[in-house]
Each structure stands twice: as C-alpha cells, then as structure tokens.
Amino acid sequence: MKRTRTLLGLSLMLLATAAFAQRQMDDANERAVRITQGPNVTNITGESATINWTTNSSGANHVRYRVAGSNNAWQSAYHQGGGTSHSLQLTGLEPDRTYEWQILTRDGDLRTAGQFQTARHRRGHARDVNGGSYPAAGREGDRDRDTDDRGYGAGDRGYGAGDRGNGRKVPLYRAVNSSNGGHLYGTNADGQNSQNFRSEGVAGYILSTQSGGTVPLYRMTSPSGDCLLTTEAAEINRMQVYGYQGGGIIGYVASWQMTGTQPFYRLVKPDGSGHFFTTSASERAQVLQRGWKDEGVTAYIWP
C-alpha cells in the first residue's frame, strides 16, 4: 500500500511538471521560438501542399492560408502539441491559384508568412518553394509536364527571384501629434508637419507600384485621429464599425520576409484607441513596457 501511494505521488509530480512545462511554453517561451530552417512548401499539387519548417525549440504547429489578396476566410492547418520539426498539409486548394500562408504562434501572433502557386491541374505538380519565396526563374527539370507550360520565366508573371521587391521605393514617413501622442503615417512629407504633428523621420520604405510577393498597404483614420495601417482588406470592413474611415492604398509591402526587408511591428493600446508601428525591435519593447499590446507583424518593409 505504501509503495502504491509512493508511485501515485511520483506520477502526480510528473504530471504537474509536464503541465508546468507546457504552460511555460504556451506563454513567454512560445514568443521566443525562432525558425532555424525553412519554411519550405513541398508536394505542391492543384489541391494540396505541405509546409515544413524547423525551430530552435518546441513551438506550435499552426498555419493558416487562403487565396492571396482575397477576402476569403482563413483555412487552418493545426497539429496538437509541438516540437522542433514541423510539417503540416494544406488541403482544399484550387488549381492555378496563388495562396498566401502564415505560420502562427500558439496564441495567434504572426511568426512568418509567404506565398506559393498551385499546379495548373489538380493532379499536377508544381515546383517546391524554398524559404517562403516564389519559384526561382530559369530553373528547369524540377517541375512535371503539367507545369512546363506555366511560363515561370523572369518578366513573365513576376515570380522570378530578380523581381522580388522591384519597383520605385518611396519613404513611409512617421509623425507624432504633440497634443495627444498619436502617430501619423504616410508618403507625403508635407503632411507630417501639419495639424499639430511633428515629424519623426522615415519609418521605412514601401513600393509605389505592386510587384511579385507584395500586397497593398491600406490606411484608415479613426474619429479620434488614430492612424491604422493594414494589409487585410477584411479589416477595413471590421474597423468601419468603430468609425474608422478611408481604406485607400498608400503603397505596397512584402507579405513575407524577402531579402532586404525587415518586420514592421504593430502594437495597440489596451483599450484599442491607438495603434503604433515600428521596425525597431528595441522601440517595440519600450512600447510594450508601457502597457501596449503586441499585434505581431503587419508586413515587411525596406529599411
């Protein structure tokens, strides 16, 4: 009997330890997980694909995906648990479409994102996509006859490596309101020194025209003067309920971390009344210390 109680006690201790470790991973440690290899999209057909990546420590297996640039509801691929080697199948795809995907943390923050193209026919096969990039131009022999006529050459559909982020880059200025501390973002330098705003310089660079791998960056303004930037067309409709107006395109940004770009972090006040955007990890940390909430990465822009 004594031995039974001892074994039961040890079992409860192990369960408690495991639960504590899982809780710790769910909280602070999950945000510290970094991707060390990939992501790679493989086994791409006209109706499914597999995304693979490796992390430096245990993290969530969670990907969401949809047709790029659409207002479709996100589809989710999720596997309970978590490790350092991740592989999820994306199903329910349509042939000859560009899909955007996002790898998320356990609590839904964006970790990284990218796009890929499905095969022309349901049973066909498209080439693998490495590191969240589009297929590189000029590579032959790694796609089947189904995709030979797709024309992935440079200058054809904008998928070539040399086309990533091409276009005229324009400054995205940031200014602060001396009255309420709110921020204004725009590509018009003159507008940064009006209406009680003081210029804080250039937050980064965005494209004036769209190219492969980029998406529109929309801007909205609330009645209180909050400036909201988003790449989500669906968010424009949601925020109109709260009085936000506008929703015009001010430029184009990378939807994944292509070469030469950096994360454009988004934070929000606890009551949701103000938003803040920055490419500086240290500035982001300072704002979080003031009680603001982290909303992940809005997009990737050029320094």
Side-chain angles (χ1 to χ4, degrees):
M1 186 68 177
K2 182 177 180 180
R3 182 179 179 183
T4 301
R5 287 198 301 268
T6 301
L7 291 174
L8 179 61
L10 289 173
S11 299
L12 291 174
M13 288 176 63
L14 289 172
L15 288 172
T17 302
F20 177 77
Q22 180 68 38
R23 184 167 61 250
Q24 289 296 93
M25 185 177 72
D26 287 352
D27 298 334
N29 290 348
E30 173 70 17
R31 291 176 179 265
V33 175
R34 294 290 178 265
I35 295 175
T36 57
Q37 186 175 352
N40 299 319
V41 186
T42 62
N43 300 322
I44 303 172
T45 70
E47 54 190 6
S48 66
T50 301
I51 185 167
N52 315 277
W53 73 100
T54 304
T55 51
N56 62 338
S57 57
S58 295
N61 292 298
H62 189 189
V63 174
R64 66 177 186 174
Y65 56 100
R66 67 181 180 184
V67 174
S70 72
N71 293 325
N72 297 348
W74 289 97
Q75 296 176 262
S76 289
Y78 179 80
H79 185 273
Q80 187 175 4
T84 58
S85 182
H86 311 267
S87 183
L88 289 172
Q89 187 177 41
L90 314 184
T91 60
L93 308 182
E94 299 177 9
D96 202 21
R97 303 296 293 270
T98 300
Y99 278 84
E100 57 181 330
W101 52 263
Q102 297 179 346
I103 296 178
L104 306 176
T105 63
R106 197 173 303 275
D107 56 2
D109 287 341
L110 176 65
R111 176 162 284 142
T112 189
Q115 296 183 359
F116 68 93
Q117 184 84 14
T118 55
R120 187 175 183 181
H121 303 293
R122 289 193 178 277
R123 296 184 181 275
H125 288 83
R127 65 177 64 179
D128 294 347
V129 178
N130 299 318
S133 66
Y134 282 108
R139 286 179 54 198
E140 300 295 337
D142 60 349
R143 58 182 187 264
D144 68 7
R145 291 164 59 184
D146 175 71
T147 54
D148 273 345
D149 59 348
R150 296 182 59 84
Y152 278 148
D156 195 0
R157 294 184 62 176
Y159 292 165
D163 291 332
R164 297 175 197 161
N166 277 1
R168 187 170 72 90
K169 296 180 178 65
V170 296
L172 179 63
Y173 298 100
R174 190 178 89 183
V176 61
N177 191 312
S178 55
S179 300
N180 59 24
H183 284 81
L184 175 67
Y185 304 84
T187 56
N188 184 356
D190 295 335
Q192 305 302 300
N193 293 301
S194 60
Q195 302 175 348
N196 296 323
F197 281 94
R198 172 174 53 81
S199 176
E200 289 189 330
V202 177
Y205 287 81
I206 61 178
L207 300 185
S208 59
T209 57
Q210 190 167 19
S211 68
T214 64
V215 294
L217 181 65
Y218 305 96
R219 182 178 65 182
M220 303 186 75
T221 306
S222 74
S224 63
D226 176 44
C227 183
L228 173 65
L229 303 177
T230 181
T231 59
E232 299 273 354
E235 187 172 26
I236 295 175
N237 297 328
R238 293 198 304 269
M239 298 309 290
Q240 285 175 344
V241 176
Y242 300 100
Y244 281 77
Q245 297 180 349
I249 298 173
I250 63 171
Y252 299 88
V253 293
S255 59
W256 50 279
Q257 195 164 9
M258 61 175 65
T259 303
T261 63
Q262 56 189 359
F264 195 37
Y265 302 107
R266 168 171 156 172
L267 301 98
V268 63
K269 284 185 176 180
D271 63 0
S273 64
H275 290 83
F276 181 75
F277 300 84
T278 180
T279 59
S280 169
S282 59
E283 188 174 41
R284 169 179 169 272
Q286 292 173 4
V287 176
L288 288 173
Q289 289 178 353
R290 297 205 298 265
W292 288 56
K293 295 182 178 179
D294 185 12
E295 291 197 318
V297 176
T298 292
Y300 297 89
I301 65 176
W302 288 264

